Amino acid sequence: MPTYSFFVNGSARTVQTRTDDQPLLYVLRNQLGLTGAKFGCGLGQCGACTVLVDGEAVRSCMMPVAAANGRGVTTIEGLGSPDQPHPVQAAFITEQAAQCGYCASGVVMATVALLARKPKATRAEVQAALAGNLCRCGTHQRILRAALRATGTSP
Amino acid sequence: MSRREPVAVSRRAVLAGGGALVVAFSLPLPGRGQQPPVVEKALGKTLDPTEVDGFLAVNADGSVSLFCGKVDLGTGLRIAIPQMAAEELGIGVERIVLVEGDTALTPDQGPTAGSTGIMRGGVQIRQAAATARAALLRLAAARLGVPAEALEVVNGEVRPKEGGQGVGFAALIGEQQFNLRLDPQAPLKDPGSYGIVGRSMPRPDVPRKVTGRHPYIHDLKLPDMLHARVIRPQAVGARLLDVDDTAVRDIPGVQVVRLGSFVGVVAPDEWDAELAARALVTRWSPASSLVGHEGVPAWMRKGPFDADQKLVGKGDARAVLASAAKKLSATYYWPTQSHASMGPSCAVADIREGKATIWSASQATHRFRRTIARLLDLPLEAVRVVYVDGSGCYGMNGHDDAAADAALLSRAVGRPVRVQWSRADELGWDPKGPPQMLALEGAVGADGQIAAWRTQMWIPRATANLPNIPLLGPADAGMAQPPGIATGLISQNGDPPYATPNVEVLVHWLKDAPLRPSNIRAPGKIANSFAVESFVDDLAAQARIDPVEFRLKGLSDARGAEVIRRAARMLDWKARPSPGPGGLGRGIAYVHYKHGETYVAVAMEAEVDPGSGAIRVRRVACAQDCGLVINPNAAMQQVEGNILQTLSRTLLEEVTFDAAGVTSVDWARYPILTFPDVPEIMIDLVDQPQSPPLGVGEAASTPVPAALANAIFDATGARLRTVPFTAERVKAALAAARRT
Ligand code: FES
Ligand code: FES
């Protein structure tokens, strides 16, 4: 069986998959027990599965595990916890920016990736950066407020 | 079909259900959440909704378990109902443990649908809490030797009002039953004294949701569980002719399950199950029974019909319209739409040894339990359905179908099975919001009010007393199910909410729907209000009266008038007839939801690019009076969700289908609103602490399409009467407006 090694949330992990086309999303969720990233479409269209690979927001449903070999993966679980949230997560909590929350993990990851590039992103820049993250519940306004709060701009 | 020896699994581990669920999730559940450990102790408790013990229990540590038949679909009920109970009991909300939608533990409070979560479910639990508080006062009075009137309940303790030693809930009745009937007359607290209800307390699930720790049904893992995919028919109504499993035989542990025309694959590894589903070769009988989305309006006119029904008949609308000097008429169409949940449906079932446990995001676990018992021919007591959060559903999406799939597969392979639908399964096969057509006629009198109004509706008729909509898997497996369709109450709000001496509302009930329907958020009311409130605007424009003024003139209900005024004020509305001078347009629409519940007015600013036909919504202002507000922040979030989701439905959404089946099976072909198109939203909730709480999950979606259509009319003079408002339709409407 093909074996792959990479860092996940700072720890070295080795996984085996029967086929090399297994998406990273499935490995994270089923082998590593990291269920924060969600399956929304498996087509690269919704962003629910977003994780960071070497700091870049990546759709883990579209990335074969082979492509993650040797790289550094950060999932939503690696950012913070309910007791010690990452500043972006803390902003989302303050704004109560989740309804069903199924999109939340992907939206948070995409926001983190944006703010790493542009710590003072404007509302329009956040809107553009999240254009590929879908939310069906209509939580957008809160998410935008949370992202702006995380930039230090009062929403 | 290959079968496998049943694997010995501790029944207790699985049937313990609640406990097993906690264990099954590899992540801890911090704070109050789903299925805490107290749950296991409660198994065997009464489910009787007329008993206090049905709804609540005092635990050994003095905390209170609430057993709630309604579930939190991302709606905030998980904090709001504990707030209502905590307030009435006299205990901190952090000491409440909420158990939702577990048929072994929670009374049947009906489906979580129709905005009834707080209005009925919460109110029922509040009454149980009030009954319990009276009982706690009596117990403490006996214990302390003082009259109950001299006691008060504060922070989980009953104590003398004058001060002195009190006694805690645990000491009074911890781990014992109340053995008390719920008293519908038990006195409620005066809202003026509320300290918990009315506060924007944070929702307990949000920290877990934004840190990836919240357990969803998709994340549930049981010992020995297999992953499954179902291969849906190539066309609606097609029969499975044969299955060739050559290509999947190499996949480790894979099993193909075939029951009639129901076919699924299971495997220990989820990706293997996915690969097997893709590789399995299936051959289907040809089927081309559908009218196709473009054929729906003509199909609706033609029938077959079930009956005509006059819903409203006041005065003589037909005669007045026939003799009116100036009358208007228009037809409106609302297409088939999908719930389009962000996560495709998922469920886990364990059907073995004559027992069934199903974990599902069902909105109606008790109803589904009866359905599963009937389908699997099991006694009701042998079936347990446990609610676990899914992706938001806004009505009945594919969750019950997926759960039935899982049940059929688990029974076949004798192990717990998790079924995960694909994106195409969800958009293609979720039961759909049905299409609606309305034809309106109206005339304005010399007094500037509506003189006569006539509505005709063409809508599918829901089957009376249908126990459950026919589910896909069992239907394909050839299992008997009561036939029929469900739609929700889709004929409401089809008449103008303004004074009119002559009104007729006539429904042409269609026997069927073009695709299997179900209830979708604010069933029917959105389309009806779209037509009614657009047409009211047309009448106002014809009479050259400002749209706000026209509405207020005809409205005697003060609470309704107040929300209209507030919504208009937020947009700094200047009185003048529509259309305006061009550029940015403004529109307003109003609903008294279901004729007797929440009041909502939505005002909106929008502009249109005449070249591209693109619509830009700038600002949305919503004023809502939903009676007593339990948690303002959570209520506002529902209003925001209603507005944005309905903008999406109005601007973009139509399920497309051909004779064989749905063709809008991914997000490219069923696009929804995205972040760049999100307008600014302003919300004003009217504070009505002395009025009963009304629903917030649906009402504010209702006026959204008409407010937008009216804003576009104000901006351009063009009238959009068909949803979605595509660029082509906008350009056609602009061209038509230029011609007149
Ligand atoms: S699940 Fe990966 S983009 Fe939708
Ligand atoms: S919060 Fe439900 S999809 Fe975004």
Side-chain angles (χ1 to χ4, degrees):
Chain A
M1 279 223 258
T3 301
Y4 307 97
S5 297
F6 41 90
F7 287 89
V8 181
N9 300 332
S11 311
R13 307 298 296 257
T14 299
V15 298
Q16 291 193 321
T17 60
R18 190 178 63 81
T19 58
D20 58 7
D21 62 350
Q22 175 152 172
L24 179 60
L25 175 66
Y26 286 70
V27 172
L28 293 172
R29 289 182 53 82
N30 294 328
Q31 286 205 39
L32 301 179
L34 297 168
T35 52
K38 294 284 178 270
F39 172 76
C41 65
L43 304 166
Q45 294 177 335
C46 75
C49 63
T50 305
V51 299
L52 305 184
V53 177
D54 294 339
E56 289 289 321
V58 159
R59 300 192 162 198
S60 64
C61 73
M62 300 300 282
M63 178 179 258
V65 57
N69 198 32
R71 302 174 72 180
V73 178
T74 306
T75 71
I76 185 94
E77 292 94 339
L79 292 182
S81 64
D83 295 330
Q84 287 188 304
H86 179 278
V88 169
Q89 292 169 323
F92 272 66
I93 294 168
T94 304
E95 296 293 342
Q96 295 282 287
Q99 293 183 54
C100 80
Y102 201 82
C103 67
S105 148
V107 168
V108 167
M109 297 313 285
T111 306
V112 168
L114 168 71
L115 298 190
R117 273 198 328 274
K118 274 198 186 129
K120 294 281 159 204
T122 62
R123 178 176 157 114
E125 285 169 336
V126 177
Q127 285 179 289
L130 295 180
N133 285 80
L134 300 179
C135 171
R136 182 52 163 170
C137 294
T139 312
H140 307 73
Q141 158 133 320
R142 305 241 167 174
I143 291 169
L144 293 173
R145 281 212 302 257
L148 290 182
R149 176 178 288 277
T151 66
T153 323
S154 85
Chain B
M1 158 185 160
S2 53
R3 290 193 75 125
R4 216 189 148 106
E5 287 302 296
V7 178
V9 146
S10 151
R11 286 297 302 161
R12 258 197 77 249
V14 179
L15 273 184
L21 188 65
V22 174
V23 175
F25 287 110
S26 51
L27 300 158
L29 294 175
R32 277 169 299 118
Q34 298 173 335
Q35 315 299 3
V38 291
V39 159
E40 247 169 304
K41 282 196 189 156
L43 283 172
K45 67 176 277 295
T46 178
L47 304 180
D48 187 343
T50 67
E51 293 283 331
V52 171
D53 297 320
F55 289 113
L56 61 87
V58 174
N59 301 312
D61 64 357
S63 66
V64 173
S65 292
L66 281 188
F67 301 97
C68 180
K70 303 281 188 188
V71 299
D72 188 320
L73 304 165
T75 46
L77 177 151
R78 193 164 286 148
I79 185 66
I81 285 187
Q83 280 181 266
M84 294 172 85
E87 181 74 69
E88 218 52 56
L89 273 171
I91 191 170
V93 75
E94 70 291 342
R95 319 246 10 237
I96 301 267
V97 177
L98 185 73
V99 178
E100 299 163 40
D102 181 336
T103 61
L105 296 168
T106 60
D108 185 355
Q109 294 185 279
T112 307
S115 293
T116 57
I118 300 299
M119 191 168 66
R120 307 219 196 290
V123 164
Q124 207 175 5
I125 287 178
R126 179 175 71 178
Q127 203 59 41
T131 311
R133 178 165 57 108
L136 288 162
L137 282 167
R138 284 195 301 273
L139 288 169
R143 177 82 61 98
L144 298 172
V146 289
E149 300 72 50
L151 296 170
E152 60 182 0
V153 190
V154 181
N155 281 332
E157 192 185 68
V158 188
R159 64 184 192 197
K161 285 179 185 160
E162 303 294 305
Q165 192 61 39
V167 50
F169 287 6
L172 289 172
I173 197 163
E175 294 200 295
Q176 294 166 53
Q177 290 171 8
F178 283 91
N179 286 320
L180 190 63
R181 288 188 77 72
L182 195 154
D183 175 6
Q185 309 303 330
L188 295 170
K189 276 193 182 168
D190 172 12
S193 71
Y194 280 170
I196 298 173
V197 164
R199 280 173 53 196
S200 289
M201 296 187 143
R203 293 161 51 214
D205 43 0
V206 171
R208 297 195 299 266
K209 285 176 172 174
V210 303
T211 56
R213 264 67 165 194
H214 190 71
Y216 292 87
I217 181 65
H218 306 73
D219 309 330
L220 176 59
K221 204 178 216 171
L222 296 180
D224 292 315
M225 184 182 86
L226 297 173
H227 290 275
R229 298 288 187 270
V230 172
I231 293 97
R232 303 249 86 99
Q234 212 159 59
V236 173
R239 284 187 335 278
L240 183 61
L241 300 176
D242 52 54
V243 177
D244 179 354
D245 69 352
T246 319
V248 309
R249 282 187 199 145
D250 290 348
I251 299 175
V254 77
Q255 302 173 68
V256 178
V257 176
R258 180 178 175 179
L259 303 161
S261 289
F262 174 81
V263 58
V265 291
V266 299
D269 180 79
E270 186 180 12
W271 184 242
D272 282 340
E274 176 69 28
L275 290 177
R278 293 182 192 179
L280 191 75
V281 177
T282 52
R283 218 161 53 81
W284 301 85
S285 69
S288 55
S289 56
L290 308 177
V291 296
H293 67 279
E294 282 167 345
V296 173
W299 172 85
M300 292 183 113
R301 295 265 188 195
K302 209 163 92 236
F305 293 101
D306 189 52
D308 279 358
Q309 185 187 6
K310 198 188 267 194
L311 290 183
V312 182
K314 192 172 116 192
D316 192 344
R318 290 189 205 208
V320 176
L321 285 167
S323 61
K326 276 204 222 160
K327 78 166 204 179
L328 290 179
S329 60
T331 301
Y332 300 81
Y333 179 68
W334 192 275
T336 306
Q337 293 182 330
S338 171
H339 303 83
S341 295
M342 211 22 59
S345 292
C346 180
V348 178
D350 185 11
I351 318 291
R352 280 181 294 187
E353 297 159 27
K355 285 196 170 167
T357 311
I358 293 170
W359 292 265
S360 164
S362 178
Q363 289 173 276
T365 47
H366 279 281
R367 183 179 70 196
F368 190 66
R369 179 190 189 211
R370 293 188 288 271
T371 301
I372 279 293
R374 194 170 56 239
L375 285 168
L376 301 184
D377 201 16
L378 289 172
L380 195 59
E381 314 77 66
V383 180
R384 178 176 182 186
V385 183
V386 182
Y387 173 78
V388 186
D389 278 355
S391 178
C393 61
Y394 336 103
M396 187 180 175
N397 65 358
H399 45 220
D400 282 10
D401 289 301
D405 289 344
L408 294 182
L409 291 168
S410 172
R411 186 171 67 167
V413 301
R415 283 173 64 171
V417 168
R418 170 186 181 272
V419 167
Q420 169 71 66
W421 277 22
S422 69
R423 173 52 38 210
D425 289 338
E426 188 68 35
L427 287 172
W429 293 91
D430 78 313
K432 301 292 187 287
Q436 291 171 258
M437 191 163 62
L438 293 100
L440 306 184
E441 295 163 79
V444 178
D447 60 351
Q449 300 216 34
I450 301 169
W453 177 290
R454 194 163 173 249
T455 297
Q456 291 184 82
M457 295 181 186
W458 288 262
I459 43 176
R461 177 170 230 167
T463 310
N465 305 317
L466 186 69
N468 210 99
I469 72 167
L471 299 170
L472 297 172
D476 287 332
M479 303 165 89
Q481 298 184 79
I485 60 172
T487 59
L489 301 168
I490 59 174
S491 63
Q492 295 166 319
N493 292 121
D495 51 343
Y498 314 107
T500 320
N502 303 290
V503 197
E504 180 186 297
V505 177
L506 182 68
V507 186
H508 307 290
W509 288 111
L510 288 152
K511 272 206 161 97
D512 205 352
L515 292 167
R516 185 179 61 138
S518 75
N519 52 314
I520 189 168
R521 198 174 204 163
K525 272 81 77 182
I526 296 178
N528 296 340
S529 185
F530 163 53
V532 168
E533 281 289 281
S534 295
F535 197 63
V536 164
D537 231 54
D538 271 346
L539 292 173
Q542 191 201 35
R544 304 297 300 151
I545 302 175
D546 172 73
V548 168
E549 191 190 321
F550 187 77
R551 285 172 169 83
L552 290 176
K553 218 176 193 179
L555 195 57
S556 51
D557 190 322
R559 289 172 73 176
E562 179 65 13
V563 293
I564 291 178
R565 274 191 220 103
R566 288 195 189 202
R569 202 180 306 141
M570 276 187 272
L571 280 195
D572 204 11
W573 189 281
K574 302 271 185 301
R576 60 164 171 75
S578 285
L584 195 62
R586 86 284 204 268
I588 193 160
Y590 159 75
V591 73
H592 187 192
Y593 192 63
K594 297 186 186 175
H595 308 281
E597 295 178 7
T598 295
Y599 300 84
V600 195
V602 170
M604 206 176 289
E605 282 173 354
E607 60 200 332
V608 173
D609 174 355
S612 67
I615 296 165
R616 177 116 206 126
V617 180
R618 287 282 201 82
R619 294 197 296 165
V620 182
C622 175
Q624 173 167 303
D625 175 350
C626 50
L628 170 71
V629 179
I630 312 300
N631 183 318
N633 189 284
M636 281 201 220
Q637 185 156 51
Q638 283 303 293
V639 174
E640 293 166 29
N642 273 308
I643 290 169
L644 291 174
Q645 188 179 78
T646 311
L647 273 180
S648 178
R649 290 174 67 181
T650 308
L651 287 166
L652 296 163
E653 297 180 30
E654 173 165 25
V655 171
T656 61
F657 56 104
D658 59 20
V662 173
T663 51
S664 49
V665 292
D666 62 25
W667 294 121
R669 284 171 285 185
Y670 195 86
I672 62 171
L673 191 80
T674 57
F675 277 95
D677 293 323
V678 169
E680 191 188 321
I681 302 173
M682 294 169 281
I683 297 168
D684 186 1
L685 294 179
V686 181
D687 190 26
Q688 299 278 20
Q690 299 296 337
S691 302
L694 301 168
V696 298
E698 301 175 310
S701 60
T702 311
V704 167
L708 176 56
N710 295 342
I712 292 168
F713 176 72
D714 187 61
T716 65
R719 189 44 85 179
L720 290 164
R721 297 193 175 93
T722 299
V723 166
F725 296 169
T726 58
E728 288 65 40
R729 288 192 178 125
V730 170
K731 285 193 270 187
L734 289 172
R738 275 194 295 273
R739 281 198 300 276
T740 52

